[in-house]
Amino acid sequence: MTGVRGVRGASVEIPTADGVADAYLARPDDGVAHPAVLLYMDAFGLRPPLEKMADRLAAAGYTVLVPNVFYRHGRAPVTELPEFIDPARRPEIFQQLRPIMDSLTPEPAMRDAGAYLDWLAACPHAIGAPIGIAGYCMGARLALRTAGAYPERVAAVAGFHGGGLATDAPDSPHLVAERVTAELYFGHADQDPGMTAEQIGLLERTLVAAGVRHRGEVYAGALHGYTQVDTSSYDARADARHRAALLDLLGRALRPV
């Protein structure tokens, strides 16, 4: 059991083409299969506060899988993290994480995504398809890419304080828009140098041109990482807004049991 009443959490392992990804699974403890949500972590990775986020989502009627997407570098946490993360005071944390993040290029990331989706499809606690995806920070990029790589298996994607979603790079995440059939929601932080107003505009224009059902909102005053309670960027008001938006999207797309 978890700290959330009626929710069961467990560590699980997911076979992939490149090894085994450790992950956390949260689900209602009622013996019923529920709609599946793939929760993509932020750069700080799979850790207790992220597990609690999954627990709260499970309490709303979903089976939630949170994989350690950095599994090639070891089990979570792949770097030592303090209980409270303040990158301004601990710049070495990002110095350690940056090469790990950079090593997760789109091709292996989408191979992994297929493994996560296959695992959920076989999970007796999940209604395996279509699924919803929630992504945070770098996880928002993974979420959008997954919607483009597996359009028939993804019904909804929500990305929060995602950086680099629309750039001039030849493999920018926004370029998958023409393949996306899911409904999308993005909660941008207006104090996020990794997702400028120009990039938000490019993402919006691209989604409109591709005919993708979507909504993008800018959270005024919010910093990059505003949902992460164990970081100096946390914003309780923006976090509550994100939870409401996520549940609204998932409720329309997946209809929780």
Side-chain angles (χ1 to χ4, degrees):
M1 296 292 290
T2 71
V4 177
R5 185 175 180 179
V7 171
R8 183 172 294 275
S11 296
V12 298
E13 296 191 339
I14 304 172
T16 75
D18 299 321
V20 176
D22 52 307
Y24 179 75
L25 183 73
R27 60 180 177 85
D29 190 21
D30 57 7
V32 177
H34 292 264
V37 176
L38 175 60
L39 195 161
Y40 276 127
M41 64 188 219
D42 64 341
F44 297 124
L46 180 55
R47 61 198 190 282
L50 214 62
E51 294 175 358
K52 290 180 181 178
M53 292 176 71
D55 293 343
R56 287 194 297 268
L57 196 51
Y62 300 96
T63 293
V64 186
L65 180 68
V66 192
N68 167 25
V69 303
F70 293 156
Y71 70 89
R72 292 175 181 83
H73 299 270
R75 299 181 66 86
V78 296
T79 60
E80 184 177 350
L81 296 172
E83 289 188 11
F84 183 77
I85 304 169
D86 184 350
R89 295 187 176 185
R90 297 284 303 275
E92 75 277 5
I93 295 175
F94 260 124
Q95 292 171 3
Q96 295 168 356
L97 287 171
R98 176 55 62 183
I100 297 174
M101 295 168 62
D102 291 345
S103 71
L104 189 63
T105 55
E107 184 178 351
M110 290 305 97
R111 284 202 307 271
D112 292 344
Y116 306 149
L117 294 175
D118 288 345
W119 192 93
L120 282 169
C123 177
H125 308 298
I127 301 171
I131 73 157
I133 306 178
Y136 300 87
C137 178
M138 58 167 281
R141 296 196 297 273
L142 294 174
L144 180 54
R145 291 190 191 281
T146 302
Y150 302 95
E152 73 286 356
R153 303 176 72 175
V154 180
V157 167
F160 301 96
H161 49 81
L165 291 169
T167 72
D168 58 3
D171 62 352
S172 175
H174 78 290
L175 297 177
V176 307
E178 292 185 352
R179 301 194 296 274
V180 171
T181 60
E183 181 179 353
L184 310 183
Y185 174 88
F186 294 100
H188 305 293
D190 76 342
Q191 304 297 310
D192 189 348
M195 192 65 189
T196 63
E198 290 75 18
Q199 292 174 334
I200 292 172
L202 175 57
L203 176 63
E204 173 70 16
R205 293 191 299 274
T206 303
L207 295 175
V208 169
V212 177
R213 293 168 299 153
H214 72 284
R215 183 159 61 102
E217 296 184 317
V218 177
Y219 290 23
L223 300 172
H224 179 82
Y226 61 78
T227 63
Q228 303 302 304
V229 69
D230 61 336
T231 75
S232 57
S233 299
Y234 181 67
D235 183 319
R237 181 176 297 180
D239 183 24
R241 181 178 175 182
H242 122 266
R243 292 186 200 176
L246 176 58
L247 290 175
D248 178 65
L249 174 65
L250 295 178
R252 287 198 310 275
L254 301 183
R255 298 184 181 88
V257 175

